[in-house]
Amino acid sequence: MKAFTAYTITAEHAGLSVETYLKQVLQLSGRKLQKLTRQKGIRLGNKPTFLTRPLKNGDILRILTLEDSGYGVEPESGALSILFEDEDVLVVDKPPYQLVHPAGRTTHGTVANHLAFEFSQRGILCTIRPLHRLDRDTSGCLLFAKNAQSQTRLETQLKERRLKRSYQALVETAPQPPAGTIDAAIGEHPSQPNRRAISPKGDAAVTHYQTRQNYASGALLELELETGRTHQIRVHLAHIGSPLLGDGMYGKRSPLLSRQALHAYSIRFFQPSSGEEICVEAPLPNDFLRAINALEKDSI
């Protein structure tokens, strides 16, 4: 009997076509996709489905279990900071100015390329499976599954909100009130395709925030995501009048650092095999620390 691995589609990936989900989220190569198609190994529920079909939140996509035959990306030597690793998962400290995986014209120099090289040096053949995304300029904890079964279980945790991602951010203006929840749907920007905007027709988005330190010209916040929309924290903070420091897209650029001041400082999840709760933290990068130091001096 053929074995299938089930993937529950989360709101984060709703709207993607089956083909896009397989290529971008599961990191399946075109060759593996062709093999699955020939073997009728792609099913929505228990029925074969078309690659062009859009996925909905809660859909169960069943994929014929194949042994990993490649990394899904080209291995490339490069710096890689591993914060935690076991037989099922790996957490990387992503530096700013680096993409998670190849996209658009960028085919090299991503975290995925460097992780594939790391595995190749160890003699491990493992498809690169990021569980979530971080913007190019956002630093911090990035979680990968090392096998299909772990990915399925971690995606279930993400859907059930048992996988927690916490961030630290510097904002231009201290929010009022100093702690709260931003519950505002996010959709596509009406005129700029690379941006997102608050929209009643968008996808539900919830961000919890708390002010940790006030400065004369800004504040340090701690945030936790309940959902994972594209640019969620950036859009939500701009929406309440506290845009991220250095965010030229939703606020304005800053002389204190050359990117938005957002860092994924911790991730909490349950080990896919044992169920043990794991919390991993990433230290603040140097440019973020320098910006904090400048804000503190300005407040004296």
Side-chain angles (χ1 to χ4, degrees):
M1 179 180 292
K2 294 182 178 180
F4 284 78
T5 301
Y7 298 90
T8 301
I9 305 304
T10 63
E12 182 178 5
H13 300 127
L16 296 180
S17 68
V18 171
E19 182 174 12
T20 300
Y21 182 86
L22 294 177
K23 286 184 175 180
Q24 294 188 3
V25 180
L26 300 190
Q27 296 286 295
L28 297 187
S29 66
R31 182 175 297 179
K32 182 172 285 189
L33 202 59
Q34 290 175 0
K35 187 175 182 180
L36 286 169
T37 302
R38 287 196 302 269
Q39 298 184 31
K40 297 183 179 179
I42 305 170
R43 300 180 182 180
L44 197 56
N46 291 313
K47 297 181 179 180
T49 187
F50 295 104
L51 292 177
T52 55
R53 181 162 180 171
L55 294 167
K56 297 181 293 185
N57 185 26
D59 276 348
I60 305 296
L61 190 64
R62 300 183 188 279
I63 307 300
L64 180 64
T65 302
L66 301 172
E67 293 295 326
D68 286 350
S69 58
Y71 300 105
V73 297
E74 183 178 342
E76 181 182 4
S77 177
L80 190 70
S81 175
I82 298 174
L83 297 170
F84 175 85
E85 183 179 9
D86 63 17
E87 68 276 9
D88 293 317
V89 301
L90 181 143
V91 180
V92 168
D93 185 2
K94 188 188 91 65
Y97 315 114
Q98 186 178 32
L99 289 178
V100 172
H101 58 81
R105 296 181 179 179
T106 303
T107 58
H108 299 280
T110 72
V111 177
N113 293 117
H114 296 166
L115 183 54
F117 181 82
E118 172 69 18
F119 285 152
S120 72
Q121 293 298 104
R122 301 186 202 170
I124 299 172
L125 187 59
C126 176
T127 300
I128 306 303
R129 299 177 174 90
L131 262 295
H132 57 105
R133 300 292 186 270
L134 293 177
D135 289 344
R136 176 183 177 274
D137 290 349
T138 299
S139 55
C141 294
L142 184 61
L143 175 65
F144 291 84
K146 294 173 68 175
N147 54 68
Q149 293 76 14
S150 297
Q151 181 175 24
T152 299
R153 292 168 182 169
L154 289 168
E155 286 188 337
T156 298
Q157 292 181 33
L158 191 63
K159 178 185 178 183
E160 295 174 350
R161 298 174 182 173
R162 294 187 295 131
L163 192 157
K164 304 290 187 180
R165 293 165 289 168
S166 298
Y167 293 75
Q168 288 186 340
L170 290 171
V171 294
E172 295 177 10
T173 305
Q176 293 299 328
T181 295
I182 308 167
D183 187 348
I186 294 175
E188 294 183 358
H189 193 279
S191 61
Q192 296 175 281
N194 292 332
R195 296 185 59 170
R196 296 295 185 269
I198 301 298
S199 169
K201 296 181 180 179
D203 296 318
V206 178
T207 304
H208 306 286
Y209 72 90
Q210 186 168 354
T211 302
R212 290 302 184 193
Q213 183 67 50
N214 283 308
Y215 306 109
S217 54
L220 174 65
L221 307 185
E222 184 175 318
L223 307 104
E224 186 169 295
L225 292 181
E226 199 167 299
T227 54
R229 308 300 173 204
T230 300
H231 296 180
Q232 178 173 319
I233 289 176
R234 300 167 68 186
V235 173
H236 271 175
L237 290 177
H239 176 63
I240 64 170
S242 297
L244 286 172
L245 189 73
D247 190 347
M249 181 173 286
Y250 298 102
K252 62 179 183 291
R253 298 192 180 279
S254 170
L256 299 183
L257 76 174
S258 56
R259 65 178 178 104
Q260 72 259 11
L262 184 61
H263 177 69
Y265 87 92
S266 80
I267 186 164
R268 287 178 288 142
F269 58 93
F270 295 90
Q271 210 286 336
S273 297
S274 70
E276 175 190 0
E277 186 173 17
I278 295 171
C279 180
V280 182
E281 295 185 356
L284 286 170
N286 290 332
D287 63 343
F288 201 112
L289 291 171
R290 286 194 295 267
I292 288 177
N293 186 53
L295 289 169
E296 289 174 341
K297 288 182 177 179
D298 186 53
S299 300
I300 296 175

